[in-house]
Amino acid sequence: MRNVIFCHCQQCRKQSGHYYAATSVEDARLYVTGEEHITWYAASAAAKRGFCRVCGSALFWKREASEVTSIMAGLFDSPTGLKGGYHIFTNEKGDYYTVADGLPCFSYSDD
Ligand SMILES: [Zn+2]
């Protein structure tokens, strides 16, 4: 799975209550059990968010027409084997915290 990307955009912050931390995987390699419990919310014309309608957990983010699904990093039990990659949309981050983990920061997304 991809390194974890931390998204500080306003939409991610408002939907999650802070910021998003997500890895991703190609759809062809994604296997989900309990798929019948997932609801997809059209967050915009370009992307949707998947959550569990039983427990409310945020699960996925997916750009329309993409063959990759982002998966919330917090879903995995430790040790996850995941590593932090970088921060995106830091220009939209909340004013109540600092990004100081030494990872690269960008004011945009490259996906
Ligand atoms: Zn975001």
Side-chain angles (χ1 to χ4, degrees), residues 6 8 19 84-87 98-105:
F6 306 94
H8 300 263
Y19 59 84
Y86 53 90
H87 298 266
T98 303
V99 177
D101 57 12
L103 294 173
C105 295

Side-chain angles (χ1 to χ4, degrees), residues 65-80:
S66 170
E67 295 180 357
V68 173
T69 297
S70 291
I71 307 168
M72 301 306 113
L75 297 172
F76 299 97
D77 294 330
S78 293
T80 65

Side-chain angles (χ1 to χ4, degrees), residues 14-57:
K14 293 187 179 196
Q15 200 265 333
S16 71
H18 192 36
Y19 59 84
Y20 259 53
T23 181
S24 71
V25 69
E26 296 167 17
D27 291 344
R29 300 176 57 206
L30 178 63
Y31 177 75
V32 177
T33 57
E35 200 162 359
E36 69 275 16
H37 303 300
I38 297 171
T39 294
W40 288 94
Y41 168 73
S44 70
K48 59 187 179 183
R49 298 174 187 273
F51 65 95
C52 175
R53 66 174 161 267
V54 176
C55 70
S57 296

